[in-house]
Amino acid sequence: MTFEKFTVKARQVVVTAQEQARLLKHTHIGTEHILLGLLEVPDGTAAKVLHQLGYDKDTARADIAALVEPGTQELSGHIPFAPRAKKTLELALREAQQLHHRDIGTEHILLALVREGEGAGAQVLAERIKPVGRIRAAVLASLEGTQDAGGGPWPAGTPATEDTVSTASALAGGAPVGSHHLLEAMLRAENSMAARVLRELGVDADTVAAKIDELDPETTTDANPEEAAARRMEIRLVGEEVHLVLRDPATVAAARKVTELSDGPIRGTGPVAGLFVPLWRSVNQLLAELQRVLEPEPEGADGPAESKVVRAVRSVLAPRLRR
């Protein structure tokens, strides 16, 4: 199963669901773990809706503990999805399509969880929130043209348009989609009219990509502080240490102030350990995504490993990462 259409927060839900399954020593990721994952992303639309309806993660943990017994053995490595959990993630795509959203957000996963109806996640929600249809109504009321990653409603288009928008979103990598992402995505769209016109005019996709990387969008209307900071970041492997380098002035100033107050480096020990956990999760998720780009997955039981969008993004990002 691939997650290129999932927003950053939706992917975080999937990663957290696996962690919840591991904590409970369960051998499969079930719908109950997906529910816990949704509630562990408090700024996602799904968690906000559930909180509005009076349902929080402590209640969910108690409900799930009463319904599903914990396992007995510590688990390591990848934990597979149970059939109902896999169906839920597939239904999330349908929910996004029905709402004409180009990305799958936490709200679509929640709608899919309710729609699936038979898993433990749906059962505990139906027991607490009556009628369970209130969840769908609350999600739709909360959207009002917005989505977790800015992926609001998108008018229906041709297959080439859908590929272009999906590729642009993937190129943005969770940041707001800019005109430069759309320009490159148009050139990369297989057999599209836009790509054909640009090629006829002598516009080369690799040349455009190189120029995009060279220019700084800071002085344009595509500027946003997150991407500006990201452009200055770097991950290095030094011996047995992974160094995460951040160079944007705001982060440097904040780090300087904190290290002055602590009189030295900050380490993830004692009470500070919990503050470091989200950073650890994010770095490992980033590394997994980069590995997916650089190292294509083999064909597996879940079907073809790569869509046209994944192939396009891999072809343009892998050379850049190796520079």
Side-chain angles (χ1 to χ4, degrees), residues 137-158:
V139 169
L140 296 179
S142 72
L143 291 177
E144 295 295 331
T146 64
Q147 195 186 352
D148 281 345
W154 187 267
T158 65

Side-chain angles (χ1 to χ4, degrees), residues 180 215-225 227-229 231-232 249:
H180 50 306
L215 298 176
D216 190 338
E218 190 172 347
T219 58
T220 72
T221 53
D222 283 301
N224 68 83
E227 186 173 355
R231 281 172 171 258
R232 301 183 183 189

Side-chain angles (χ1 to χ4, degrees), residues 163-186:
D163 285 347
T164 298
V165 172
S166 296
T167 302
S169 179
L171 287 169
V177 175
S179 62
H180 50 306
H181 301 126
L182 287 167
L183 173 61
E184 185 172 353
M186 281 193 294

Side-chain angles (χ1 to χ4, degrees), residues 11 15 234-237 241-244 279-295 321:
R11 293 182 191 187
V15 172
E234 185 178 350
I235 294 178
R236 299 177 187 164
L237 183 63
E241 295 181 342
V242 178
H243 292 194
L244 177 62
L279 175 61
W280 178 84
R281 287 176 182 164
S282 297
V283 170
N284 278 275
Q285 183 180 353
L286 171 61
L287 291 170
E289 287 294 308
L290 292 174
Q291 182 177 349
R292 188 173 68 89
V293 170
L294 292 167
E295 184 179 75
L321 291 170

Side-chain angles (χ1 to χ4, degrees), residues 11 19 23 71 85 108 134 171 210-211 255 259 261 289 314:
R11 293 182 191 187
E19 295 172 356
L23 287 172
H108 306 118
R134 289 173 59 204
L171 287 169
K211 182 56 69 174
T259 51
L261 291 170
E289 287 294 308
R314 177 170 289 123

